[in-house]
Amino acid sequence: MVYYSVGKGERRERAYELLELLDIEELADRDPQTLSGGQQQRVGLARALAIDIEPESVHIVESKE
């Protein structure tokens, strides 16, 4: 079980701020299976930032299309 030093309400507020920052707030209530791969990556980044993990441990893979 993981315990966070930040309360649920504060994490939720921070998550919505990050969704706005990443311009993906419309994805907040979507089922994860309905998101594209890129959308899943952006949501994952927002989650990582919301719980204040170290930036060095966040890896984003961009396609070269």
Side-chain angles (χ1 to χ4, degrees):
M1 184 176 282
V2 177
Y3 292 96
Y4 299 102
S5 61
V6 179
K8 183 177 180 180
E10 189 175 338
R11 283 195 316 268
R12 182 176 298 270
E13 182 179 319
R14 176 75 176 137
Y16 278 104
E17 289 173 6
L18 291 164
L19 290 171
E20 287 180 8
L21 178 67
L22 296 170
D23 196 29
I24 56 172
E25 60 270 15
E26 71 278 359
L27 305 178
D29 297 320
R30 299 245 322 256
D31 189 9
Q33 288 85 8
T34 66
L35 301 175
S36 71
Q39 290 170 329
Q40 289 177 7
Q41 285 186 339
R42 289 189 294 276
V43 169
L45 176 60
R47 281 187 185 146
L49 294 171
I51 61 171
D52 293 326
I53 67 168
E54 296 298 320
E56 302 86 45
S57 63
V58 177
H59 301 280
I60 301 296
V61 178
E62 294 288 330
S63 67
K64 304 246 180 189
E65 293 182 62

